[in-house]
Amino acid sequence: MTDNSARLDHVVLWVRDPVAAAGFYARTVGLEPVRLPEFTAGEAPFPSVRVNDDTLLDLMPLTMAPQMRMLPDSAASAGHPVNHLCLALPAPAYDALRARLESLAVPVSSVAHGSFGARGKAPRSFYFRDPDGNVVEARHYD
């Protein structure tokens, strides 16, 4: 494996209701909300959920699309889905996530074996959608 100093800092997901999305990722996926009280108080433009010490998922309200001006046509990205994002978990957390999703009647894909990712082939992986239709893959390597 290559030792690279670059790290994934954050992924921005367009969501209809950032509070509901944060709740889904907290309750169902087990990710810690960040800046949720500040967002609900109107002091932050969006909340996030923490994947690990280095990485966040930012939950950007679709209503912010007209304000996206960092590049020409940035607002047009609102609602354009990313193919999927992948969360690598320890095997017990992977199993617990799948059980939580199933207990909450969140549809999940069948389990795939040997899918390639950042750390090689994963013994097991599966996919599910968040309430905004974003596709999330869960996998483990151990």
Side-chain angles (χ1 to χ4, degrees):
M1 190 175 335
T2 303
D3 182 19
N4 188 340
S5 60
R7 300 285 186 263
L8 181 62
D9 186 83
H10 67 276
V11 173
V12 180
L13 299 177
W14 288 112
V15 298
R16 290 180 304 273
D17 181 343
V19 173
F24 173 83
Y25 281 101
R27 283 187 313 279
T28 307
V29 184
L31 303 181
E32 175 190 356
V34 177
R35 299 190 326 160
L36 189 56
E38 293 89 337
F39 173 75
T40 58
E43 299 166 358
F46 57 87
S48 304
V49 289
R50 184 164 296 287
V51 176
N52 58 37
D53 287 343
D54 298 328
T55 310
L56 296 172
L57 297 180
D58 293 337
L59 306 172
M60 184 69 68
L62 276 168
T63 56
M64 295 281 293
Q67 299 171 33
M68 296 293 110
R69 294 186 176 95
M70 70 285 288
L71 292 171
D73 297 324
S74 290
S77 72
H80 288 222
V82 170
N83 181 275
H84 72 277
L85 63 95
C86 180
L87 299 173
L89 308 165
Y94 167 95
D95 292 328
L97 171 59
R98 187 168 178 99
R100 268 193 316 279
L101 291 166
E102 290 173 343
S103 75
L104 295 167
V106 175
V108 296
S109 72
S110 59
V111 173
H113 301 275
S115 296
F116 182 78
R119 292 190 271 167
K121 291 186 177 181
R124 297 180 296 160
S125 64
F126 69 91
Y127 296 84
F128 63 95
R129 288 187 187 275
D130 75 7
D132 290 284
N134 294 300
V135 178
V136 179
E137 176 184 359
R139 64 172 47 213
H140 73 88
Y141 287 100
D142 52 357

Short mmCIF file of all heavy atoms in Angstrom, two decimals, residues 8-70:
data_model
loop_
_atom_site.label_atom_id
_atom_site.label_comp_id
_atom_site.label_asym_id
_atom_site.label_seq_id
_atom_site.Cartn_x
_atom_site.Cartn_y
_atom_site.Cartn_z
N LEU A 8 -8.82 12.02 2.57
CA LEU A 8 -10.16 12.49 2.25
C LEU A 8 -10.64 13.31 3.44
O LEU A 8 -10.72 12.81 4.56
CB LEU A 8 -11.09 11.31 1.99
CG LEU A 8 -12.52 11.67 1.61
CD1 LEU A 8 -12.56 12.46 0.30
CD2 LEU A 8 -13.34 10.40 1.49
N ASP A 9 -10.95 14.57 3.23
CA ASP A 9 -11.38 15.47 4.29
C ASP A 9 -12.89 15.41 4.47
O ASP A 9 -13.39 15.24 5.57
CB ASP A 9 -10.95 16.90 3.98
CG ASP A 9 -11.26 17.85 5.10
OD1 ASP A 9 -10.46 17.92 6.05
OD2 ASP A 9 -12.32 18.51 5.04
N HIS A 10 -13.63 15.59 3.37
CA HIS A 10 -15.09 15.55 3.47
C HIS A 10 -15.70 15.25 2.12
O HIS A 10 -15.08 15.43 1.08
CB HIS A 10 -15.65 16.87 4.01
CG HIS A 10 -15.47 18.03 3.09
ND1 HIS A 10 -14.30 18.77 3.04
CD2 HIS A 10 -16.30 18.58 2.18
CE1 HIS A 10 -14.43 19.72 2.14
NE2 HIS A 10 -15.63 19.63 1.60
N VAL A 11 -16.94 14.77 2.18
CA VAL A 11 -17.78 14.59 1.01
C VAL A 11 -19.04 15.38 1.30
O VAL A 11 -19.59 15.31 2.41
CB VAL A 11 -18.13 13.10 0.79
CG1 VAL A 11 -19.14 12.92 -0.32
CG2 VAL A 11 -16.87 12.29 0.51
N VAL A 12 -19.52 16.15 0.33
CA VAL A 12 -20.74 16.94 0.50
C VAL A 12 -21.89 16.21 -0.20
O VAL A 12 -21.81 15.92 -1.39
CB VAL A 12 -20.57 18.36 -0.08
CG1 VAL A 12 -21.85 19.16 0.10
CG2 VAL A 12 -19.39 19.06 0.57
N LEU A 13 -22.93 15.93 0.57
CA LEU A 13 -24.13 15.31 0.04
C LEU A 13 -25.26 16.34 0.02
O LEU A 13 -25.47 17.04 1.00
CB LEU A 13 -24.57 14.13 0.92
CG LEU A 13 -23.57 12.99 1.07
CD1 LEU A 13 -24.11 11.95 2.04
CD2 LEU A 13 -23.25 12.36 -0.28
N TRP A 14 -25.98 16.44 -1.09
CA TRP A 14 -27.17 17.28 -1.14
C TRP A 14 -28.28 16.54 -0.42
O TRP A 14 -28.54 15.37 -0.70
CB TRP A 14 -27.60 17.53 -2.59
CG TRP A 14 -26.71 18.45 -3.35
CD1 TRP A 14 -25.91 18.11 -4.40
CD2 TRP A 14 -26.54 19.84 -3.16
NE1 TRP A 14 -25.24 19.22 -4.87
CE2 TRP A 14 -25.62 20.30 -4.12
CE3 TRP A 14 -27.07 20.77 -2.26
CZ2 TRP A 14 -25.23 21.62 -4.22
CZ3 TRP A 14 -26.68 22.09 -2.35
CH2 TRP A 14 -25.77 22.50 -3.32
N VAL A 15 -28.97 17.22 0.50
CA VAL A 15 -30.06 16.59 1.25
C VAL A 15 -31.24 17.56 1.33
O VAL A 15 -31.08 18.78 1.33
CB VAL A 15 -29.62 16.17 2.67
CG1 VAL A 15 -28.50 15.13 2.59
CG2 VAL A 15 -29.18 17.35 3.51
N ARG A 16 -32.44 17.00 1.40
CA ARG A 16 -33.65 17.82 1.53
C ARG A 16 -33.78 18.38 2.94
O ARG A 16 -34.16 19.53 3.12
CB ARG A 16 -34.90 16.99 1.20
CG ARG A 16 -35.01 16.62 -0.27
CD ARG A 16 -36.26 15.80 -0.55
NE ARG A 16 -36.37 14.59 0.25
CZ ARG A 16 -35.84 13.42 -0.08
NH1 ARG A 16 -35.18 13.29 -1.21
NH2 ARG A 16 -35.98 12.38 0.70
N ASP A 17 -33.50 17.56 3.96
CA ASP A 17 -33.67 17.95 5.35
C ASP A 17 -32.41 17.57 6.11
O ASP A 17 -32.24 16.41 6.50
CB ASP A 17 -34.90 17.25 5.92
CG ASP A 17 -35.19 17.60 7.36
OD1 ASP A 17 -34.30 18.12 8.06
OD2 ASP A 17 -36.32 17.32 7.81
N PRO A 18 -31.50 18.51 6.34
CA PRO A 18 -30.24 18.19 7.01
C PRO A 18 -30.40 17.60 8.41
O PRO A 18 -29.62 16.73 8.80
CB PRO A 18 -29.51 19.54 7.07
CG PRO A 18 -30.06 20.30 5.92
CD PRO A 18 -31.51 19.90 5.86
N VAL A 19 -31.41 18.03 9.15
CA VAL A 19 -31.62 17.48 10.49
C VAL A 19 -32.02 16.02 10.40
O VAL A 19 -31.50 15.16 11.13
CB VAL A 19 -32.66 18.32 11.28
CG1 VAL A 19 -33.01 17.67 12.61
CG2 VAL A 19 -32.14 19.74 11.49
N ALA A 20 -32.95 15.71 9.49
CA ALA A 20 -33.36 14.32 9.30
C ALA A 20 -32.19 13.47 8.79
O ALA A 20 -32.01 12.34 9.23
CB ALA A 20 -34.54 14.25 8.34
N ALA A 21 -31.41 14.03 7.86
CA ALA A 21 -30.26 13.28 7.34
C ALA A 21 -29.25 13.01 8.44
O ALA A 21 -28.73 11.88 8.56
CB ALA A 21 -29.60 14.06 6.19
N ALA A 22 -28.98 14.00 9.29
CA ALA A 22 -28.05 13.80 10.41
C ALA A 22 -28.59 12.73 11.34
O ALA A 22 -27.83 11.88 11.84
CB ALA A 22 -27.82 15.10 11.16
N GLY A 23 -29.89 12.76 11.58
CA GLY A 23 -30.50 11.73 12.43
C GLY A 23 -30.36 10.35 11.85
O GLY A 23 -30.05 9.39 12.56
N PHE A 24 -30.57 10.21 10.54
CA PHE A 24 -30.40 8.92 9.88
C PHE A 24 -28.98 8.41 10.05
O PHE A 24 -28.75 7.28 10.46
CB PHE A 24 -30.76 9.02 8.39
CG PHE A 24 -30.44 7.77 7.62
CD1 PHE A 24 -31.33 6.71 7.61
CD2 PHE A 24 -29.26 7.64 6.91
CE1 PHE A 24 -31.05 5.54 6.91
CE2 PHE A 24 -28.96 6.49 6.20
CZ PHE A 24 -29.87 5.43 6.20
N TYR A 25 -28.01 9.26 9.72
CA TYR A 25 -26.62 8.83 9.80
C TYR A 25 -26.19 8.56 11.25
O TYR A 25 -25.35 7.70 11.50
CB TYR A 25 -25.69 9.84 9.12
CG TYR A 25 -25.69 9.68 7.62
CD1 TYR A 25 -26.43 10.53 6.81
CD2 TYR A 25 -24.98 8.65 7.02
CE1 TYR A 25 -26.46 10.36 5.43
CE2 TYR A 25 -24.99 8.48 5.64
CZ TYR A 25 -25.74 9.33 4.86
OH TYR A 25 -25.76 9.14 3.50
N ALA A 26 -26.78 9.26 12.21
CA ALA A 26 -26.45 9.02 13.62
C ALA A 26 -27.10 7.72 14.10
O ALA A 26 -26.42 6.83 14.62
CB ALA A 26 -26.91 10.19 14.49
N ARG A 27 -28.41 7.60 13.95
CA ARG A 27 -29.13 6.44 14.47
C ARG A 27 -28.82 5.17 13.71
O ARG A 27 -28.64 4.11 14.30
CB ARG A 27 -30.64 6.68 14.40
CG ARG A 27 -31.20 7.57 15.46
CD ARG A 27 -32.74 7.62 15.41
NE ARG A 27 -33.28 7.82 14.07
CZ ARG A 27 -33.36 9.00 13.46
NH1 ARG A 27 -32.94 10.09 14.06
NH2 ARG A 27 -33.87 9.09 12.24
N THR A 28 -28.80 5.25 12.40
CA THR A 28 -28.72 4.06 11.57
C THR A 28 -27.29 3.64 11.27
O THR A 28 -26.95 2.47 11.34
CB THR A 28 -29.50 4.28 10.27
OG1 THR A 28 -30.81 4.72 10.60
CG2 THR A 28 -29.58 3.03 9.45
N VAL A 29 -26.45 4.62 10.93
CA VAL A 29 -25.08 4.29 10.53
C VAL A 29 -24.11 4.41 11.71
O VAL A 29 -23.05 3.81 11.72
CB VAL A 29 -24.64 5.19 9.35
CG1 VAL A 29 -23.26 4.81 8.84
CG2 VAL A 29 -25.65 5.10 8.21
N GLY A 30 -24.49 5.17 12.75
CA GLY A 30 -23.64 5.30 13.93
C GLY A 30 -22.61 6.41 13.82
O GLY A 30 -21.61 6.39 14.54
N LEU A 31 -22.84 7.40 12.94
CA LEU A 31 -21.89 8.50 12.78
C LEU A 31 -22.32 9.66 13.67
O LEU A 31 -23.49 9.98 13.78
CB LEU A 31 -21.83 8.95 11.32
CG LEU A 31 -21.45 7.87 10.31
CD1 LEU A 31 -21.39 8.45 8.90
CD2 LEU A 31 -20.13 7.19 10.67
N GLU A 32 -21.34 10.32 14.27
CA GLU A 32 -21.60 11.42 15.21
C GLU A 32 -21.93 12.72 14.49
O GLU A 32 -21.16 13.18 13.64
CB GLU A 32 -20.36 11.63 16.08
CG GLU A 32 -20.45 12.80 17.01
CD GLU A 32 -19.12 13.12 17.67
OE1 GLU A 32 -18.14 12.39 17.47
OE2 GLU A 32 -19.07 14.14 18.38
N PRO A 33 -23.08 13.35 14.82
CA PRO A 33 -23.39 14.65 14.23
C PRO A 33 -22.39 15.72 14.69
O PRO A 33 -21.92 15.69 15.82
CB PRO A 33 -24.79 14.97 14.76
CG PRO A 33 -25.36 13.64 15.11
CD PRO A 33 -24.20 12.83 15.60
N VAL A 34 -22.09 16.65 13.78
CA VAL A 34 -21.19 17.77 14.05
C VAL A 34 -21.93 19.06 13.65
O VAL A 34 -22.52 19.11 12.56
CB VAL A 34 -19.88 17.63 13.23
CG1 VAL A 34 -18.97 18.82 13.44
CG2 VAL A 34 -19.18 16.33 13.57
N ARG A 35 -21.92 20.04 14.50
CA ARG A 35 -22.54 21.35 14.27
C ARG A 35 -24.06 21.28 14.07
O ARG A 35 -24.65 22.20 13.53
CB ARG A 35 -21.92 22.08 13.06
CG ARG A 35 -20.46 22.37 13.21
CD ARG A 35 -19.86 23.27 12.17
NE ARG A 35 -20.43 23.14 10.84
CZ ARG A 35 -20.34 24.05 9.90
NH1 ARG A 35 -19.68 25.17 10.11
NH2 ARG A 35 -20.87 23.89 8.70
N LEU A 36 -24.70 20.24 14.54
CA LEU A 36 -26.14 20.15 14.40
C LEU A 36 -26.86 21.22 15.22
O LEU A 36 -27.74 21.91 14.69
CB LEU A 36 -26.64 18.75 14.75
CG LEU A 36 -28.10 18.45 14.44
CD1 LEU A 36 -28.44 18.70 12.99
CD2 LEU A 36 -28.42 17.02 14.83
N PRO A 37 -26.49 21.43 16.51
CA PRO A 37 -27.15 22.52 17.25
C PRO A 37 -26.90 23.89 16.62
O PRO A 37 -27.81 24.73 16.58
CB PRO A 37 -26.52 22.44 18.65
CG PRO A 37 -25.99 21.06 18.76
CD PRO A 37 -25.60 20.66 17.36
N GLU A 38 -25.70 24.10 16.09
CA GLU A 38 -25.40 25.37 15.45
C GLU A 38 -26.24 25.56 14.18
O GLU A 38 -26.70 26.66 13.89
CB GLU A 38 -23.91 25.47 15.12
CG GLU A 38 -23.01 25.55 16.34
CD GLU A 38 -22.56 24.19 16.87
OE1 GLU A 38 -23.24 23.15 16.60
OE2 GLU A 38 -21.54 24.15 17.56
N PHE A 39 -26.44 24.47 13.44
CA PHE A 39 -27.27 24.56 12.24
C PHE A 39 -28.72 24.87 12.61
O PHE A 39 -29.33 25.77 12.02
CB PHE A 39 -27.20 23.25 11.43
CG PHE A 39 -28.16 23.22 10.28
CD1 PHE A 39 -27.92 23.96 9.14
CD2 PHE A 39 -29.33 22.47 10.36
CE1 PHE A 39 -28.82 23.95 8.08
CE2 PHE A 39 -30.23 22.46 9.31
CZ PHE A 39 -29.98 23.19 8.17
N THR A 40 -29.26 24.14 13.58
CA THR A 40 -30.67 24.37 13.94
C THR A 40 -30.88 25.76 14.53
O THR A 40 -31.98 26.31 14.43
CB THR A 40 -31.19 23.29 14.90
OG1 THR A 40 -30.40 23.27 16.08
CG2 THR A 40 -31.17 21.91 14.24
N ALA A 41 -29.82 26.35 15.12
CA ALA A 41 -29.92 27.71 15.65
C ALA A 41 -29.66 28.77 14.58
O ALA A 41 -29.70 29.97 14.87
CB ALA A 41 -28.92 27.88 16.81
N GLY A 42 -29.37 28.34 13.35
CA GLY A 42 -29.11 29.29 12.28
C GLY A 42 -27.71 29.87 12.31
O GLY A 42 -27.43 30.86 11.64
N GLU A 43 -26.81 29.24 13.06
CA GLU A 43 -25.44 29.75 13.20
C GLU A 43 -24.43 29.05 12.27
O GLU A 43 -23.28 29.46 12.22
CB GLU A 43 -24.99 29.60 14.65
CG GLU A 43 -25.85 30.38 15.63
CD GLU A 43 -25.63 29.98 17.07
OE1 GLU A 43 -24.81 29.06 17.34
OE2 GLU A 43 -26.29 30.57 17.94
N ALA A 44 -24.85 27.98 11.60
CA ALA A 44 -23.98 27.26 10.66
C ALA A 44 -24.82 26.96 9.42
O ALA A 44 -26.02 26.68 9.53
CB ALA A 44 -23.45 25.97 11.29
N PRO A 45 -24.22 27.02 8.23
CA PRO A 45 -25.00 26.82 7.00
C PRO A 45 -25.42 25.37 6.76
O PRO A 45 -26.35 25.11 6.01
CB PRO A 45 -24.06 27.30 5.90
CG PRO A 45 -22.69 27.17 6.47
CD PRO A 45 -22.83 27.39 7.96
N PHE A 46 -24.74 24.42 7.40
CA PHE A 46 -25.07 23.00 7.23
C PHE A 46 -24.44 22.22 8.37
O PHE A 46 -23.42 22.62 8.92
CB PHE A 46 -24.56 22.46 5.88
CG PHE A 46 -23.09 22.63 5.67
CD1 PHE A 46 -22.19 21.68 6.12
CD2 PHE A 46 -22.59 23.75 5.02
CE1 PHE A 46 -20.82 21.85 5.94
CE2 PHE A 46 -21.24 23.93 4.83
CZ PHE A 46 -20.34 22.97 5.29
N PRO A 47 -25.02 21.07 8.72
CA PRO A 47 -24.39 20.18 9.68
C PRO A 47 -23.57 19.13 8.94
O PRO A 47 -23.62 19.04 7.71
CB PRO A 47 -25.58 19.54 10.40
CG PRO A 47 -26.61 19.44 9.32
CD PRO A 47 -26.40 20.68 8.44
N SER A 48 -22.84 18.36 9.71
CA SER A 48 -22.04 17.26 9.17
C SER A 48 -22.21 16.05 10.08
O SER A 48 -22.78 16.16 11.16
CB SER A 48 -20.55 17.65 9.13
OG SER A 48 -20.35 18.84 8.40
N VAL A 49 -21.70 14.92 9.63
CA VAL A 49 -21.54 13.76 10.49
C VAL A 49 -20.10 13.30 10.35
O VAL A 49 -19.51 13.38 9.27
CB VAL A 49 -22.54 12.62 10.18
CG1 VAL A 49 -23.95 13.00 10.61
CG2 VAL A 49 -22.51 12.22 8.73
N ARG A 50 -19.52 12.86 11.45
CA ARG A 50 -18.11 12.48 11.48
C ARG A 50 -17.94 11.01 11.14
O ARG A 50 -18.51 10.14 11.80
CB ARG A 50 -17.50 12.78 12.84
CG ARG A 50 -16.00 12.49 12.87
CD ARG A 50 -15.30 13.12 14.06
NE ARG A 50 -15.34 14.57 14.05
CZ ARG A 50 -14.62 15.35 13.23
NH1 ARG A 50 -13.83 14.81 12.33
NH2 ARG A 50 -14.72 16.66 13.30
N VAL A 51 -17.15 10.73 10.09
CA VAL A 51 -16.82 9.37 9.70
C VAL A 51 -15.68 8.85 10.57
O VAL A 51 -15.71 7.72 11.06
CB VAL A 51 -16.44 9.30 8.20
CG1 VAL A 51 -16.00 7.90 7.82
CG2 VAL A 51 -17.61 9.76 7.34
N ASN A 52 -14.64 9.69 10.74
CA ASN A 52 -13.51 9.37 11.62
C ASN A 52 -12.83 10.70 11.98
O ASN A 52 -13.36 11.76 11.65
CB ASN A 52 -12.53 8.38 10.96
CG ASN A 52 -11.99 8.88 9.64
OD1 ASN A 52 -11.71 10.07 9.47
ND2 ASN A 52 -11.81 7.99 8.69
N ASP A 53 -11.68 10.65 12.64
CA ASP A 53 -11.01 11.88 13.06
C ASP A 53 -10.69 12.81 11.90
O ASP A 53 -10.60 14.02 12.07
CB ASP A 53 -9.71 11.57 13.81
CG ASP A 53 -9.96 11.01 15.19
OD1 ASP A 53 -11.08 11.16 15.71
OD2 ASP A 53 -9.02 10.42 15.75
N ASP A 54 -10.53 12.25 10.70
CA ASP A 54 -10.09 13.02 9.54
C ASP A 54 -11.18 13.34 8.53
O ASP A 54 -10.94 14.12 7.61
CB ASP A 54 -8.99 12.25 8.79
CG ASP A 54 -7.76 12.02 9.63
OD1 ASP A 54 -7.44 12.87 10.47
OD2 ASP A 54 -7.11 10.97 9.44
N THR A 55 -12.35 12.71 8.62
CA THR A 55 -13.30 12.78 7.51
C THR A 55 -14.73 13.06 7.98
O THR A 55 -15.20 12.46 8.94
CB THR A 55 -13.30 11.45 6.72
OG1 THR A 55 -11.95 11.11 6.40
CG2 THR A 55 -14.11 11.56 5.45
N LEU A 56 -15.39 13.98 7.25
CA LEU A 56 -16.79 14.32 7.51
C LEU A 56 -17.63 14.07 6.27
O LEU A 56 -17.13 14.15 5.14
CB LEU A 56 -16.93 15.82 7.84
CG LEU A 56 -16.27 16.35 9.09
CD1 LEU A 56 -16.37 17.88 9.11
CD2 LEU A 56 -16.91 15.76 10.33
N LEU A 57 -18.92 13.83 6.48
CA LEU A 57 -19.92 13.95 5.43
C LEU A 57 -20.67 15.23 5.75
O LEU A 57 -21.28 15.36 6.81
CB LEU A 57 -20.90 12.77 5.45
CG LEU A 57 -20.34 11.38 5.19
CD1 LEU A 57 -21.47 10.36 5.26
CD2 LEU A 57 -19.64 11.33 3.85
N ASP A 58 -20.60 16.20 4.86
CA ASP A 58 -21.34 17.45 5.02
C ASP A 58 -22.73 17.25 4.43
O ASP A 58 -22.87 16.72 3.32
CB ASP A 58 -20.64 18.60 4.32
CG ASP A 58 -19.31 18.97 4.96
OD1 ASP A 58 -19.12 18.66 6.15
OD2 ASP A 58 -18.49 19.57 4.26
N LEU A 59 -23.75 17.68 5.15
CA LEU A 59 -25.14 17.49 4.73
C LEU A 59 -25.70 18.83 4.26
O LEU A 59 -26.28 19.58 5.02
CB LEU A 59 -25.93 16.91 5.90
CG LEU A 59 -25.31 15.63 6.49
CD1 LEU A 59 -26.02 15.22 7.77
CD2 LEU A 59 -25.29 14.50 5.48
N MET A 60 -25.48 19.13 2.99
CA MET A 60 -25.79 20.43 2.41
C MET A 60 -27.25 20.51 2.00
O MET A 60 -27.72 19.71 1.19
CB MET A 60 -24.90 20.66 1.19
CG MET A 60 -25.06 22.01 0.55
SD MET A 60 -24.43 23.36 1.58
CE MET A 60 -22.67 23.01 1.53
N PRO A 61 -27.99 21.49 2.53
CA PRO A 61 -29.39 21.63 2.14
C PRO A 61 -29.52 21.97 0.65
O PRO A 61 -28.79 22.82 0.14
CB PRO A 61 -29.90 22.80 2.98
CG PRO A 61 -28.84 23.09 4.00
CD PRO A 61 -27.57 22.49 3.50
N LEU A 62 -30.45 21.32 -0.02
CA LEU A 62 -30.70 21.62 -1.43
C LEU A 62 -31.03 23.10 -1.62
O LEU A 62 -30.77 23.66 -2.69
CB LEU A 62 -31.84 20.77 -1.96
CG LEU A 62 -31.46 19.38 -2.44
CD1 LEU A 62 -32.72 18.53 -2.65
CD2 LEU A 62 -30.63 19.44 -3.70
N THR A 63 -31.59 23.74 -0.61
CA THR A 63 -31.93 25.16 -0.71
C THR A 63 -30.70 26.05 -0.87
O THR A 63 -30.82 27.20 -1.26
CB THR A 63 -32.73 25.62 0.52
OG1 THR A 63 -31.97 25.32 1.70
CG2 THR A 63 -34.08 24.91 0.59
N MET A 64 -29.52 25.51 -0.59
CA MET A 64 -28.28 26.28 -0.74
C MET A 64 -27.77 26.29 -2.18
O MET A 64 -26.84 27.03 -2.50
CB MET A 64 -27.18 25.69 0.16
CG MET A 64 -27.45 25.79 1.65
SD MET A 64 -27.10 27.42 2.29
CE MET A 64 -25.33 27.50 2.08
N ALA A 65 -28.37 25.49 -3.05
CA ALA A 65 -27.86 25.36 -4.42
C ALA A 65 -27.69 26.70 -5.13
O ALA A 65 -26.65 26.92 -5.78
CB ALA A 65 -28.75 24.42 -5.23
N PRO A 66 -28.63 27.63 -5.02
CA PRO A 66 -28.44 28.91 -5.74
C PRO A 66 -27.23 29.70 -5.25
O PRO A 66 -26.74 30.57 -5.96
CB PRO A 66 -29.74 29.67 -5.45
CG PRO A 66 -30.74 28.62 -5.11
CD PRO A 66 -29.95 27.54 -4.42
N GLN A 67 -26.75 29.42 -4.05
CA GLN A 67 -25.62 30.16 -3.49
C GLN A 67 -24.26 29.55 -3.88
O GLN A 67 -23.22 30.11 -3.54
CB GLN A 67 -25.74 30.22 -1.97
CG GLN A 67 -26.99 30.93 -1.52
CD GLN A 67 -27.22 30.79 -0.04
OE1 GLN A 67 -26.29 30.73 0.74
NE2 GLN A 67 -28.48 30.74 0.36
N MET A 68 -24.28 28.41 -4.56
CA MET A 68 -23.03 27.75 -4.94
C MET A 68 -22.42 28.48 -6.13
O MET A 68 -22.91 28.37 -7.25
CB MET A 68 -23.28 26.29 -5.31
CG MET A 68 -23.80 25.43 -4.17
SD MET A 68 -22.58 25.21 -2.86
CE MET A 68 -23.27 26.19 -1.55
N ARG A 69 -21.39 29.26 -5.87
CA ARG A 69 -20.79 30.07 -6.94
C ARG A 69 -19.27 29.88 -7.05
O ARG A 69 -18.60 30.68 -7.66
CB ARG A 69 -21.10 31.55 -6.68
CG ARG A 69 -22.57 31.87 -6.80
CD ARG A 69 -22.83 33.37 -6.68
NE ARG A 69 -24.23 33.66 -6.91
CZ ARG A 69 -25.12 33.78 -5.93
NH1 ARG A 69 -24.76 33.65 -4.68
NH2 ARG A 69 -26.37 34.04 -6.21
N MET A 70 -18.74 28.82 -6.44
CA MET A 70 -17.29 28.65 -6.46
C MET A 70 -16.75 28.32 -7.85
O MET A 70 -15.61 28.60 -8.15
CB MET A 70 -16.83 27.62 -5.43
CG MET A 70 -17.20 26.18 -5.73
SD MET A 70 -18.93 25.74 -5.46
CE MET A 70 -19.04 25.73 -3.72
#
